[in-house]
């Protein structure tokens, strides 16, 4: 179980990173440009840069714009501007997802040749309807189109076969975890009926191709880990990345922070006169790495983990 002591939390995480990743890791900061960066992103950045700098690792900046319908160029520019203002410098800026169509197609060709991909004509609504009285829960795909032999062509979704079986992994903060993707989500959607690649599929192909071996992200994505490990092996990555899931910050009411919460937008906070070091310190405190906020320049983030 993770500790609630701020100093120990950072040191425990660093200890596990060092134990399980003997060479300097490659991690990534990977926002979706569907809005401006907010405090939730900043929490993630504090963990990503802090750990990377503490162990001599590298931070890749990856723009996750796989969903072309919701992304906007001004948000991409905003990511670069905000990171620059904060003093958070990536070691490399890798290709955005919108430029990686060929890689996603090649991955799908491989899965198809292995008999692991099939066409799916189900709509999101049809699958959600199966959830009945519990629409908030994730509905596993029931396998409707598995045996229909539908093509992987236009107008149809593409799913990857997910057979039953546990995925076990050591989360670098939470410890031992076990998930069965067949129970959680069933056959994974790689491309939807509109031709858009999905988040789950893109990140696995990207992390493989870009050599990311340490994924540091919020605990809201913990349930995605098993399926991403499974998919990584299908995509010829026998040693998948290690994962660290950090706490999320929440509003007093308990709701998750999102882009809809305008009060936490970095642009608004900056306009209100907050300094970069003050915001980084606030993010560190909100995610349990400091007892209370204090100014923390980007160059000192490693100290949250080295003690
Ligand atoms: Zn289907």
């Amino acid at each position: 179980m993770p500790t609630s002591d701020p100093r120990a939390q950072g040191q425990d995480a660093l200890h596990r990173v060092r134990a399980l990743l003997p060479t300097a890791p490659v991690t990534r900061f990977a926002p979706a440009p569907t809005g401006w960066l907010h405090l939730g992103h900043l929490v993630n950045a504090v963990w990503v840069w802090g750990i990377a700098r503490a162990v001599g690792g590298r931070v890749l900046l990856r723009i996750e714009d796989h969903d072309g319908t919701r992304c906007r160029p001004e948000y991409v520019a905003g990511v670069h501007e905000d990171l620059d203002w904060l003093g958070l410098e990536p070691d490399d800026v890798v290709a955005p997802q919108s430029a990686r169509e060929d890689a996603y197609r090649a991955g799908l060709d491989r899965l198809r040749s292995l008999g692991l991909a099939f066409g799916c004509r189900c709509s999101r609504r049809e699958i959600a309807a199966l959830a009945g009285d519990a629409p908030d829960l994730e509905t596993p795909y029931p396998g409707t189109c598995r045996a229909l032999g539908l093509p992987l062509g236009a107008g149809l979704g593409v799913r990857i076969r997910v057979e039953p079986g546990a995925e076990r992994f050591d989360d670098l903060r939470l410890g031992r975890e076990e998930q069965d993707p067949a129970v959680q989500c069933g056959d994974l959607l790689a491309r939807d009926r509109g031709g858009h690649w999905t988040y789950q599929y893109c990140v696995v192909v990207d992390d493989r191709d870009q050599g990311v071996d340490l994924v540091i992200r919020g605990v809201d994505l913990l349930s995605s880990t098993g399926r991403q490990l499974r998919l990584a092996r299908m995509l010829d990555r026998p040693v998948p990345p290690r994962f660290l899931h950090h706490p999320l910050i929440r509003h007093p009411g308990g709701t998750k922070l999102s882009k809809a919460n305008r009060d936490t937008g970095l642009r608004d906070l900056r306009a209100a006169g907050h300094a970069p070091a003050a915001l980084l310190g606030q993010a560190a405190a909100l995610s349990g790495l400091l007892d209370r906020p204090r100014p923390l320049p980007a160059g000192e983030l490693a100290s949250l983990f080295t003690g």
Side-chain angles (χ1 to χ4, degrees):
M1 282 298 291
T3 172
S4 59
D5 171 31
R7 183 171 295 249
Q9 168 147 250
Q11 291 177 6
D12 282 359
L14 190 66
H15 175 74
R16 290 199 173 109
V17 169
R18 284 191 168 129
L20 292 169
L21 289 147
T23 54
V26 177
T27 187
R28 33 79 159 184
F29 181 69
T34 56
W36 305 110
L37 295 187
H38 55 74
L39 269 182
H41 292 107
L42 203 48
V43 164
N44 180 240
V46 162
W47 281 81
V48 166
W49 264 274
I51 287 180
R53 294 296 174 253
V55 294
R58 289 162 51 75
V59 178
L60 310 183
L61 172 61
R62 181 169 80 214
I63 300 295
E64 297 204 332
D65 54 354
H66 62 95
D67 182 355
T69 58
R70 294 172 59 225
C71 300
R72 288 178 19 198
E74 58 266 41
Y75 295 142
V76 177
V79 169
H80 291 282
E81 282 168 26
D82 288 347
L83 290 180
D84 199 42
W85 178 72
L86 289 160
L88 295 169
E89 199 175 338
D91 297 294
D92 199 1
V93 180
V94 294
Q97 290 177 332
S98 56
R100 288 185 34 79
E101 178 74 18
D102 289 352
Y104 303 143
R105 283 187 182 277
L108 192 57
D109 285 345
R110 172 188 165 79
L111 295 169
R112 186 197 334 226
S113 70
L114 294 170
L116 293 170
F118 64 90
C120 170
R121 63 187 175 199
C122 304
S123 70
R124 205 179 295 242
R125 181 176 300 187
E126 283 166 349
I127 296 168
L130 295 168
D133 294 336
D136 291 343
L137 296 176
E138 186 176 38
T139 319
Y141 178 69
T144 315
C145 306
R146 249 190 171 209
L148 298 184
L150 298 171
L152 307 191
L156 291 179
V158 178
R159 287 188 182 269
I160 314 301
R161 288 177 179 274
V162 173
E163 304 299 343
E167 292 291 333
R168 299 180 182 88
F169 57 96
D170 275 314
D171 184 276
L172 297 174
R173 189 178 68 91
L174 301 169
R176 202 80 178 134
E177 295 284 334
E178 181 173 321
Q179 300 171 358
D180 186 339
V183 173
Q184 290 177 299
C185 61
D187 300 326
L188 270 176
L189 192 66
R191 197 171 64 197
D192 70 17
R193 298 194 306 169
H196 302 109
W197 300 101
T198 63
Y199 162 79
Q200 300 287 352
Y201 179 73
C202 291
V203 295
V204 174
V205 178
D206 292 345
D207 287 339
R208 180 198 65 181
D209 293 351
Q210 294 158 1
V212 172
D213 56 5
L214 174 59
V215 175
I216 300 172
R217 61 188 185 182
V219 75
D220 54 334
L221 286 167
L222 178 63
S223 65
S224 293
T225 309
R227 69 198 69 169
Q228 291 180 5
L229 291 169
R230 180 77 61 87
L231 189 52
R233 286 200 305 276
M234 289 180 181
L235 287 164
D236 200 21
R237 188 170 191 193
V239 182
R242 297 284 183 176
F243 288 82
L244 186 156
H245 291 91
H246 59 70
L248 299 175
I249 50 177
R250 288 176 183 274
H251 276 296
T255 54
K256 188 184 146 189
L257 276 172
S258 75
K259 299 168 187 84
N261 301 126
R262 304 200 60 172
D263 49 326
T264 66
L266 292 189
R267 307 228 135 190
D268 296 336
L269 292 166
R270 179 176 171 179
H274 295 272
L279 293 179
L280 288 168
Q282 194 183 344
L286 284 166
S287 68
L289 288 166
L290 284 176
D291 281 324
R292 59 186 68 82
R294 63 172 166 81
L296 190 67
E300 294 174 20
L301 290 177
S303 68
L304 294 169
F305 299 90
T306 54

